PDB file of all heavy atoms in Angstrom:
ATOM      1  N   ALA B  94       1.257  -1.755  -4.271  1.00  0.00           N
ATOM      2  CA  ALA B  94       1.134  -0.825  -3.102  1.00  0.00           C
ATOM      3  C   ALA B  94      -0.319  -0.869  -2.558  1.00  0.00           C
ATOM      4  O   ALA B  94      -0.473  -0.893  -1.356  1.00  0.00           O
ATOM      5  CB  ALA B  94       1.523   0.575  -3.562  1.00  0.00           C
ATOM      6  N   ALA B  95      -1.268  -0.870  -3.355  1.00  0.00           N
ATOM      7  CA  ALA B  95      -2.687  -0.976  -2.968  1.00  0.00           C
ATOM      8  C   ALA B  95      -2.944  -2.234  -2.248  1.00  0.00           C
ATOM      9  O   ALA B  95      -3.467  -2.218  -1.113  1.00  0.00           O
ATOM     10  CB  ALA B  95      -3.667  -0.749  -4.071  1.00  0.00           C
ATOM     11  N   ALA B  96      -2.493  -3.320  -2.805  1.00  0.00           N
ATOM     12  CA  ALA B  96      -2.676  -4.623  -2.138  1.00  0.00           C
ATOM     13  C   ALA B  96      -1.862  -4.702  -0.815  1.00  0.00           C
ATOM     14  O   ALA B  96      -2.494  -5.200   0.173  1.00  0.00           O
ATOM     15  CB  ALA B  96      -2.249  -5.783  -3.051  1.00  0.00           C
ATOM     16  N   GLY B  97      -0.705  -4.205  -0.808  1.00  0.00           N
ATOM     17  CA  GLY B  97       0.102  -4.173   0.448  1.00  0.00           C
ATOM     18  C   GLY B  97      -0.570  -3.292   1.492  1.00  0.00           C
ATOM     19  O   GLY B  97      -0.509  -3.677   2.667  1.00  0.00           O
ATOM     20  N   ALA B  98      -1.098  -2.109   1.098  1.00  0.00           N
ATOM     21  CA  ALA B  98      -1.819  -1.288   2.113  1.00  0.00           C
ATOM     22  C   ALA B  98      -3.068  -1.939   2.628  1.00  0.00           C
ATOM     23  O   ALA B  98      -3.273  -1.782   3.797  1.00  0.00           O
ATOM     24  CB  ALA B  98      -2.115   0.035   1.431  1.00  0.00           C
ATOM     25  N   CYS B  99      -3.758  -2.687   1.756  1.00  0.00           N
ATOM     26  CA  CYS B  99      -4.919  -3.426   2.195  1.00  0.00           C
ATOM     27  C   CYS B  99      -4.475  -4.467   3.270  1.00  0.00           C
ATOM     28  O   CYS B  99      -5.159  -4.727   4.262  1.00  0.00           O
ATOM     29  CB  CYS B  99      -5.649  -4.035   1.091  1.00  0.00           C
ATOM     30  SG  CYS B  99      -6.635  -2.928   0.030  1.00  0.00           S
ATOM     31  N   LEU B 100      -3.437  -5.148   2.974  1.00  0.00           N
ATOM     32  CA  LEU B 100      -2.848  -6.168   3.871  1.00  0.00           C
ATOM     33  C   LEU B 100      -2.512  -5.519   5.219  1.00  0.00           C
ATOM     34  O   LEU B 100      -2.820  -6.013   6.266  1.00  0.00           O
ATOM     35  CB  LEU B 100      -1.658  -6.781   3.284  1.00  0.00           C
ATOM     36  CG  LEU B 100      -0.939  -7.860   4.143  1.00  0.00           C
ATOM     37  CD1 LEU B 100      -1.883  -9.084   4.234  1.00  0.00           C
ATOM     38  CD2 LEU B 100       0.368  -8.244   3.493  1.00  0.00           C
ATOM     39  N   LEU B 101      -1.859  -4.350   5.203  1.00  0.00           N
ATOM     40  CA  LEU B 101      -1.509  -3.674   6.500  1.00  0.00           C
ATOM     41  C   LEU B 101      -2.724  -3.227   7.240  1.00  0.00           C
ATOM     42  O   LEU B 101      -2.772  -3.473   8.462  1.00  0.00           O
ATOM     43  CB  LEU B 101      -0.666  -2.380   6.097  1.00  0.00           C
ATOM     44  CG  LEU B 101       0.791  -2.716   5.685  1.00  0.00           C
ATOM     45  CD1 LEU B 101       1.497  -1.377   5.350  1.00  0.00           C
ATOM     46  CD2 LEU B 101       1.540  -3.498   6.688  1.00  0.00           C
ATOM     47  N   ILE B 102      -3.773  -2.780   6.593  1.00  0.00           N
ATOM     48  CA  ILE B 102      -5.019  -2.335   7.280  1.00  0.00           C
ATOM     49  C   ILE B 102      -5.623  -3.571   7.921  1.00  0.00           C
ATOM     50  O   ILE B 102      -6.064  -3.511   9.054  1.00  0.00           O
ATOM     51  CB  ILE B 102      -5.949  -1.644   6.310  1.00  0.00           C
ATOM     52  CG1 ILE B 102      -5.380  -0.255   5.936  1.00  0.00           C
ATOM     53  CG2 ILE B 102      -7.327  -1.463   6.970  1.00  0.00           C
ATOM     54  CD1 ILE B 102      -6.219   0.464   4.778  1.00  0.00           C
ATOM     55  N   TYR B 103      -5.625  -4.738   7.203  1.00  0.00           N
ATOM     56  CA  TYR B 103      -6.197  -5.916   7.724  1.00  0.00           C
ATOM     57  C   TYR B 103      -5.459  -6.385   8.960  1.00  0.00           C
ATOM     58  O   TYR B 103      -6.014  -6.776   9.966  1.00  0.00           O
ATOM     59  CB  TYR B 103      -6.164  -6.964   6.565  1.00  0.00           C
ATOM     60  CG  TYR B 103      -6.695  -8.319   7.086  1.00  0.00           C
ATOM     61  CD1 TYR B 103      -8.093  -8.461   7.283  1.00  0.00           C
ATOM     62  CD2 TYR B 103      -5.921  -9.347   7.319  1.00  0.00           C
ATOM     63  CE1 TYR B 103      -8.583  -9.672   7.703  1.00  0.00           C
ATOM     64  CE2 TYR B 103      -6.414 -10.611   7.782  1.00  0.00           C
ATOM     65  CZ  TYR B 103      -7.797 -10.706   7.938  1.00  0.00           C
ATOM     66  OH  TYR B 103      -8.328 -11.960   8.371  1.00  0.00           O
ATOM     67  N   VAL B 104      -4.085  -6.336   8.920  1.00  0.00           N
ATOM     68  CA  VAL B 104      -3.309  -6.858  10.041  1.00  0.00           C
ATOM     69  C   VAL B 104      -3.562  -5.942  11.263  1.00  0.00           C
ATOM     70  O   VAL B 104      -3.600  -6.426  12.402  1.00  0.00           O
ATOM     71  CB  VAL B 104      -1.814  -6.873   9.676  1.00  0.00           C
ATOM     72  CG1 VAL B 104      -0.947  -7.068  10.845  1.00  0.00           C
ATOM     73  CG2 VAL B 104      -1.558  -7.977   8.608  1.00  0.00           C
ATOM     74  N   VAL B 105      -3.578  -4.678  11.053  1.00  0.00           N
ATOM     75  CA  VAL B 105      -3.823  -3.698  12.176  1.00  0.00           C
ATOM     76  C   VAL B 105      -5.236  -3.968  12.779  1.00  0.00           C
ATOM     77  O   VAL B 105      -5.350  -4.012  14.021  1.00  0.00           O
ATOM     78  CB  VAL B 105      -3.725  -2.200  11.624  1.00  0.00           C
ATOM     79  CG1 VAL B 105      -4.255  -1.254  12.818  1.00  0.00           C
ATOM     80  CG2 VAL B 105      -2.305  -1.916  11.395  1.00  0.00           C
ATOM     81  N   ARG B 106      -6.216  -4.290  11.910  1.00  0.00           N
ATOM     82  CA  ARG B 106      -7.518  -4.630  12.474  1.00  0.00           C
ATOM     83  C   ARG B 106      -7.526  -5.887  13.215  1.00  0.00           C
ATOM     84  O   ARG B 106      -8.161  -5.970  14.230  1.00  0.00           O
ATOM     85  CB  ARG B 106      -8.568  -4.612  11.343  1.00  0.00           C
ATOM     86  CG  ARG B 106      -8.934  -3.274  10.747  1.00  0.00           C
ATOM     87  CD  ARG B 106     -10.010  -3.402   9.750  1.00  0.00           C
ATOM     88  NE  ARG B 106     -10.311  -2.110   9.215  1.00  0.00           N
ATOM     89  CZ  ARG B 106     -11.089  -1.929   8.148  1.00  0.00           C
ATOM     90  NH1 ARG B 106     -11.644  -2.995   7.467  1.00  0.00           N
ATOM     91  NH2 ARG B 106     -11.409  -0.774   7.743  1.00  0.00           N
ATOM     92  N   LEU B 107      -6.790  -6.816  12.734  1.00  0.00           N
ATOM     93  CA  LEU B 107      -6.669  -8.138  13.464  1.00  0.00           C
ATOM     94  C   LEU B 107      -6.031  -7.941  14.813  1.00  0.00           C
ATOM     95  O   LEU B 107      -6.471  -8.456  15.840  1.00  0.00           O
ATOM     96  CB  LEU B 107      -5.788  -9.154  12.717  1.00  0.00           C
ATOM     97  CG  LEU B 107      -6.565  -9.910  11.634  1.00  0.00           C
ATOM     98  CD1 LEU B 107      -5.509 -10.818  10.897  1.00  0.00           C
ATOM     99  CD2 LEU B 107      -7.693 -10.747  12.150  1.00  0.00           C
TER     100      LEU B 107
END
Side-chain angles (χ1 to χ4, degrees):
C99 286
L100 179 67
L101 289 177
I102 291 171
Y103 179 73
V104 168
V105 167
R106 286 183 180 172
L107 278 178

